[in-house]
Amino acid sequence: MHSWTDTLRFAFQPVVNLRTGAVAALEILARPETGDVLAEARRDPELDGRLTVSALRAAARKETLLPLHLNVFAATLADLGGLTPLHDAVRAAGRMAWEVTLDIVPPYTHVPQRALLEAVSSLRAQGFRISADGIGDGDVPLRLLTDLSPDLVKLDASLLARPAAVRAMRTLCEELGALVAVEGVETELQCAAALSAGAQLAQGELFAPPARIPAADVYVPSLAPGPGTVPCSGPSVREFVRPAAVLPLTASAGQVRALLTGSPDVSGVLLVDQYGRPVRSVHRSRFLLSMSGRYGHALYADRPAFKLGDAPRTVGVDATAWQVLDVVAVGGRDRTSDDVAVVDGHGRCVGVVRLADLVRALAESRVEEAAGLNPLTRLPGSDAIVSEVERRICDGRAFALSWLDIDHFKQVNDGAGFAAGDELIRAVGHALQQAVLQQAVTEHARVGHIGGDDFLVLAEEEALDPLVTAVLDVPWAAGGRPVTLSLATVVCGPGSVSDHHQAAAQLAPLKKAAKALNGGSWVLGRAGLPGHEVRRGRPGPAPAGTGYATAEPRW
């Protein structure tokens, strides 16, 4: 009688980093030649556990250095309280638990949540990483998802038709410290949508189909990040993590040499302790140069490799690309090309980042940013403000959005000339930007120039007074003629507006009220509430012929 293992084969599908185009990991998929062993495993936790161990062993036989993704049903973990045989199999294969991500697969209905969370906690304590699979097409409760606090969330490709849902999930994952992957990507359009919505990883037939032999090359379209995917503080290092080539600290120089010569794409090796924490970093070129010198092999082959390594350069998983560059800038120039190890909160290696990936991405972000700057003031335009408004709405954060312009600006141009008008616009923009910097509220305030004499300021409500004082209390003039400014602010509490269009609609009547006042004016209202507060300005009829804005903001 044949065992189910006699007809079971495994396929490998790459998990692709959308930012670098590199293969970040391999998912091992059961492919029975006959029968439906997965349906049986869904009903039989013991069988499912054995399948997971078999998948690990199948990957070990392929001698892949890549991190692995193994599937396991949620009910299996809850029923077995973890996967002790898997931990033993990982050690027997010469791998480390933190190189293995467990993709927890639906269904979740009728799964005891407390038992599941306890099992996940046990696996995480052993070093395994956790992924929540099938989100968007499964039945995982949102509360359970947050309680699981996964390292990775895998979204079904059907959500790409609902980019707001993907962006919202990206926001949630940022709070959880998780990455976002999209499964089932089949077209370049879907790939572009995934990247634009903020996904960092993806899988699907577009890149490489599941195959019996791990794919050496994958196809990744040349795509630029969509608007709003790069935060102003710099992209997160998580977006650039590549798998690390690791060996135990006790490895010999000969073992390192064998790994490097057998893997030409590996730029260096990290020597880690028993917990996966980097202790030494071995750079490919420097190491092979030492080994290839006269008597080099005879001198070093059987000696500990750590003697030819350097202290590793490390950053935390929450670092930005700019912070990585700061780390690279410290030390000798001969180490500029060294990989930087990325470590988690326990100091364990989660991968490496390469300087070339960072420089390329930061250059792209600077080009994107420059393209969105107003040529007159060099301030961001409407796209940057809209993206940040949408982000705060998705985060459920309160914010104050202000619209400022120069009173009777057409008369300024007609009377003093367009050069004086341009200079006045530049001066107002500079004053707004300086106010943000001097008040040390850079992380909470954004200034945008949306065209003509119109500016937007996005800030926390408590930051408004010093910003307004720095701008409205200045005696402005153009061509020797005094000029005043008008400011309207709408404070949006959590849930008071659903998108930036509603925020703009709430702001328009406040701007009309501010323009109806004499002198420098400031009107403040609250989204969803009637009326407004006049904080600056004198009531009275506006001077004849001046008019005032009645339209929704042009952004």
Side-chain angles (χ1 to χ4, degrees):
M1 181 176 179
H2 290 290
S3 167
W4 58 268
T5 57
D6 294 336
T7 59
L8 183 64
R9 301 292 183 268
F10 290 93
F12 301 85
Q13 185 169 41
V15 180
V16 176
N17 186 315
L18 291 175
R19 174 74 78 167
T20 65
V23 177
L26 288 176
E27 181 175 358
I28 299 89
L29 304 166
R31 290 291 186 265
E33 294 183 359
T34 60
D36 192 351
V37 70
L38 294 180
E40 295 180 36
R42 177 176 170 179
R43 297 187 295 268
D44 185 347
E46 293 287 349
L47 174 59
D48 191 32
R50 294 198 299 274
L51 270 178
T52 305
V53 172
S54 297
L56 181 279
R57 289 173 177 160
R61 288 194 293 271
K62 300 299 181 181
E63 297 182 350
T64 176
L65 295 174
L66 290 167
L68 306 175
H69 282 239
L70 306 176
N71 293 299
V72 60
F73 286 109
T76 296
L77 295 181
D79 189 89
L80 300 182
L83 295 172
T84 301
L86 177 63
H87 190 261
D88 296 337
V90 167
R91 287 187 296 181
R95 302 298 292 262
M96 297 185 181
W98 51 267
E99 297 178 273
V100 177
T101 298
L102 292 173
D103 289 357
I104 304 178
V105 180
Y108 288 84
T109 303
H110 306 307
V111 174
Q113 294 189 9
R114 181 180 294 275
L116 174 60
L117 293 173
E118 289 176 353
V120 167
S121 178
S122 174
L123 289 164
R124 187 172 273 126
Q126 295 171 26
F128 291 105
R129 302 190 184 283
I130 303 298
S131 167
D133 203 350
I135 304 303
D137 193 43
D139 59 347
V140 56
L142 188 58
R143 181 173 60 82
L144 177 59
L145 179 63
T146 58
D147 289 342
L148 285 171
S149 190
D151 302 285
L152 175 67
V153 171
K154 288 189 172 183
L155 306 181
D156 186 81
S158 62
L159 284 186
L160 293 176
R162 302 165 179 81
V166 181
R167 288 195 295 270
M169 189 58 65
R170 168 68 186 264
T171 301
L172 174 62
C173 286
E174 287 176 352
E175 292 291 327
L176 298 176
L179 294 177
V180 177
V182 177
E183 297 181 289
V185 175
E186 298 181 351
T187 67
E188 292 194 8
L189 187 61
Q190 286 182 318
C191 183
L195 187 61
S196 179
Q200 295 111 336
L201 304 171
Q203 291 176 264
E205 297 280 341
L206 174 68
F207 312 107
R212 294 288 175 85
I213 299 175
D217 298 303
V218 295
Y219 170 72
V220 181
S222 178
L223 297 170
T229 60
V230 179
C232 60
S233 57
S236 168
V237 72
R238 294 172 184 270
E239 300 180 23
F240 306 95
V241 173
R242 291 176 176 263
V246 297
L247 285 173
L249 185 58
T250 55
S252 67
Q255 289 175 296
V256 172
R257 183 177 184 275
L259 191 158
L260 291 175
T261 54
S263 307
D265 293 335
V266 172
S267 55
V269 177
L270 290 175
L271 303 178
V272 299
D273 64 15
Q274 60 179 326
Y275 302 106
R277 296 175 299 204
V279 179
R280 303 295 283 178
S281 173
V282 179
H283 184 267
R284 180 187 188 90
S285 298
R286 293 197 300 274
F287 174 83
L288 292 180
L289 185 62
S290 298
M291 291 289 287
S292 62
R294 193 175 186 183
Y295 309 121
H297 189 272
L299 284 173
Y300 298 117
D302 296 325
R303 299 182 66 185
F306 75 82
K307 292 183 178 293
L308 294 176
D310 301 287
R313 290 175 165 176
T314 62
V315 295
V317 292
D318 295 323
T320 67
W322 293 110
Q323 290 171 319
V324 177
L325 292 185
D326 289 339
V327 171
V328 172
V330 176
R333 293 185 178 180
D334 61 327
R335 297 198 61 191
T336 303
S337 61
D338 285 18
D339 292 342
V340 176
V342 182
V343 297
D344 63 15
H346 301 286
R348 299 173 300 190
C349 178
V350 300
V352 295
V353 290
R354 294 181 180 176
L355 181 62
D357 290 337
L358 297 183
V359 172
R360 186 185 312 112
L362 291 174
E364 290 173 354
S365 70
R366 282 292 179 256
V367 170
E368 291 288 327
E369 181 181 338
L373 296 180
N374 187 287
L376 185 61
T377 59
R378 309 304 296 168
L379 289 173
S382 60
D383 285 348
I385 301 298
V386 166
S387 296
E388 186 60 25
V389 167
E390 294 287 0
R391 182 189 298 272
R392 297 191 188 201
I393 291 173
C394 287
D395 288 348
R397 295 164 54 193
F399 61 90
L401 183 64
S402 301
W403 181 15
L404 178 141
D405 75 348
I406 300 168
D407 293 329
H408 321 311
F409 184 69
K410 185 178 185 304
Q411 293 183 9
V412 172
N413 271 346
D414 291 345
F418 71 87
D422 285 352
E423 184 58 38
L424 177 60
I425 289 173
R426 277 193 292 267
V428 171
H430 179 72
L432 283 171
Q433 188 73 339
Q434 286 300 113
V436 168
L437 296 174
Q438 291 172 3
Q439 297 298 328
V441 293
T442 311
E443 292 299 320
H444 305 287
R446 299 289 300 277
V447 177
H449 182 188
I450 58 175
D453 62 318
D454 292 314
F455 295 87
L456 286 176
V457 180
L458 179 64
E460 307 293 336
E461 184 178 2
E462 56 270 19
L464 287 174
D465 284 328
L467 293 176
V468 170
T469 298
V471 178
L472 291 189
D473 288 353
V474 174
W476 298 101
R481 303 181 182 188
V483 174
T484 58
L485 310 179
S486 292
L487 179 71
T489 299
V490 59
V491 177
C492 300
S496 60
V497 293
S498 60
D499 56 28
H500 75 276
H501 294 290
Q502 285 194 6
Q506 297 272 347
L507 193 53
L510 298 176
K511 186 60 179 177
K512 179 178 180 179
K515 297 297 285 186
L517 299 173
N518 287 331
S521 61
W522 179 22
V523 167
L524 182 143
R526 299 185 182 276
L529 298 178
H532 60 265
E533 175 186 352
V534 176
R535 294 198 170 185
R536 300 282 182 95
R538 303 183 307 274
T546 60
Y548 48 77
T550 59
E552 187 174 311
R554 302 184 298 276
W555 51 287

